Amino acid sequence: MEDIKFMERALELAKRRKGLTHPNPTVGCVIVKDGKVVGEGYHERAGMPHAEVVALEKAGERAKGATLYVTLEPCTHFGRTPPCTDAIIRAGLKRVVIATLDPNPLVSGKGVGRLKNAGIEVSVGVLEEEAKKLNEDFFTYISQKRPYITLKWAQSIDGSMATREGDSKWISGEESRCFAHQIRSEATAILVGVNTALRDDPELTIRAFPWERQPTRIVLDPQLRIREDLKLIRDGKAPTLIITSSENKEKIKRLEDLGIKVVLAPTIEGKLNLREVLRELYFMEIMHLLVEGGSITHTTFIKENLFDRLWVFLAPMLIGGGKRVGDIGVDILLKAKRLRLREIKRFGEDVALEYVNL
């Protein structure tokens, strides 16, 4: 029970930085001696000390003979920072309790082995599922070499994301939209199709509460139809990336002069090759990609089975015949994509459903 209690505290610390440590995982650490916490910490952002090092510095000499609780296996390699296992061994800890192993082949199992070889008792698997869920974006990013992908949209109870004229402001209520900003805060980047950008002129920023960084804004725009007067081009509130197959050098130059990054991507049958796009985003250290629309973009990601999680906000209205997820190739129910319902939230009259791709 004591292990669970202190690991819960380590997870609580890790959650404080969710969305702020990309492309690193979010990690919390607690050091306990004689039943009392003598040091604790979390990884603040990439390039800064890891949670274990922060906690060890706070514990000082009291770390000798203590137990360290950490939400992810300590690293054994030099990356942006030195190996955490070396710091743990030098501190003279007696025991290390780890929630889950690191999926990174450079670390997985090696951190545990290094600690055991140094004579430290190691326990693995305390609150493992909670720890894996906390860093599911990092696990996908490392194992599949693409961003973790969340799809999000609001719809009427009869399935429309917008009217047939494209009006979608606002289907969901204010409470729902505030929570949607929480979802944004966990993402490295927010993606929309060019039609959504042109029609809605969205900011694609976190505005519902103070936040330390803004996600990169990405627009899929095969023919480079983006207008230069749009907010996401002109406002300078967040990095903006246009992915296109167009070689309109003059327009690309104008966009780049405005501080916009333009990336050329290959096409398949006139459409951007999503898998190649995601591969490029992986190399750009986009760990968690939030896809916000519109219906054509969502349909493409679903048809390609390129998503890990889906948030749907249901609003108590009937639109009928509006814009919605299109044809994804299902002609009999046996071919229908099945998802797992993970969470239900209520915001006023709206209901938000979180599904996980199986």
Side-chain angles (χ1 to χ4, degrees), residues 244-257:
T244 185
S245 57
S246 169
E247 296 185 9
N248 184 337
K249 294 181 180 179
E250 183 180 331
K251 189 168 185 179
I252 290 173
K253 177 66 164 56
R254 292 201 306 270
L255 289 168
E256 290 178 337
D257 287 345

Side-chain angles (χ1 to χ4, degrees), residues 269-299:
E269 297 177 355
K271 296 181 179 180
L272 289 170
N273 184 329
L274 270 189
R275 295 182 187 277
E276 288 300 317
V277 168
L278 293 174
R279 177 179 167 82
E280 183 67 27
L281 296 182
Y282 167 80
F283 287 117
M284 294 173 64
E285 297 189 332
I286 303 294
M287 188 171 93
H288 187 152
L289 180 67
L290 174 61
V291 180
E292 291 205 357
S295 59
I296 295 173
T297 300
H298 280 128
T299 300

Side-chain angles (χ1 to χ4, degrees), residues 80-280:
R80 288 180 168 94
T81 57
C84 292
T85 50
D86 292 359
I88 291 170
I89 293 166
R90 284 196 305 269
L93 285 148
K94 179 182 180 182
R95 181 172 178 243
V96 173
V97 181
I98 300 166
T100 185
L101 297 180
D102 193 317
N104 190 336
L106 293 173
V107 180
S108 188
K110 296 180 177 66
V112 170
R114 177 105 169 85
L115 295 174
K116 285 182 175 180
N117 289 338
I120 297 172
E121 179 187 345
V122 180
S123 299
V124 180
V126 177
L127 299 182
E128 182 173 17
E129 290 308 309
E130 292 87 339
K132 285 183 175 179
K133 180 183 176 184
L134 177 64
N135 276 310
E136 59 190 354
D137 46 6
F138 173 73
F139 275 60
T140 296
Y141 178 73
I142 292 296
S143 63
Q144 298 193 32
K145 292 185 168 34
R146 65 160 174 81
Y148 179 88
I149 301 167
T150 296
L151 307 184
K152 179 190 74 69
W153 68 73
Q155 66 176 53
S156 61
I157 56 175
D158 59 347
S160 292
M161 301 177 190
T163 67
R164 52 172 78 91
E165 297 299 321
D167 183 18
S168 61
K169 292 185 178 179
W170 295 101
I171 288 179
S172 57
E174 187 174 345
E175 288 182 59
S176 292
R177 298 198 299 275
C178 183
F179 180 69
H181 282 241
Q182 180 64 45
I183 296 173
R184 283 182 176 181
S185 74
E186 297 181 2
T188 320
I190 302 171
L191 181 146
V192 296
V194 67
N195 290 334
T196 296
L198 293 172
R199 183 183 64 242
D200 296 345
D201 192 13
E203 290 184 42
L204 303 181
T205 55
I206 299 164
R207 304 181 300 280
F209 46 83
W211 198 239
E212 292 180 32
R213 65 158 190 89
Q214 292 292 344
T216 297
R217 303 176 291 197
I218 301 175
V219 180
L220 296 182
D221 185 6
Q223 281 78 50
L224 205 58
R225 295 190 291 124
I226 197 80
R227 292 201 317 271
E228 293 160 47
D229 63 334
L230 297 181
K231 292 172 186 172
L232 55 79
I233 300 296
R234 291 282 180 175
D235 65 16
K237 292 180 178 179
T240 301
L241 171 66
I242 309 297
I243 300 178
T244 185
S245 57
S246 169
E247 296 185 9
N248 184 337
K249 294 181 180 179
E250 183 180 331
K251 189 168 185 179
I252 290 173
K253 177 66 164 56
R254 292 201 306 270
L255 289 168
E256 290 178 337
D257 287 345
L258 291 168
I260 307 304
K261 184 176 178 63
V262 180
V263 173
L264 292 177
T267 60
I268 297 178
E269 297 177 355
K271 296 181 179 180
L272 289 170
N273 184 329
L274 270 189
R275 295 182 187 277
E276 288 300 317
V277 168
L278 293 174
R279 177 179 167 82
E280 183 67 27

Side-chain angles (χ1 to χ4, degrees), residues 15-87:
K15 288 174 184 175
R16 294 182 182 180
R17 303 301 293 176
K18 182 64 182 172
L20 295 171
T21 61
H22 300 179
N24 290 356
T26 180
V27 180
C29 180
V30 176
I31 299 174
V32 178
K33 191 169 188 179
D34 300 325
K36 294 182 179 180
V37 175
V38 296
E40 59 182 28
Y42 49 75
H43 180 44
E44 190 165 334
R45 63 174 61 89
M48 295 192 70
H50 288 187
E52 303 95 313
V53 173
V54 174
L56 286 168
E57 287 180 354
K58 290 182 179 178
E61 291 299 319
R62 295 173 295 175
K64 190 170 184 179
T67 298
L68 181 146
Y69 295 85
V70 65
T71 57
L72 190 67
E73 181 180 12
C75 64
T76 58
H77 66 293
F78 281 89
R80 288 180 168 94
T81 57
C84 292
T85 50
D86 292 359

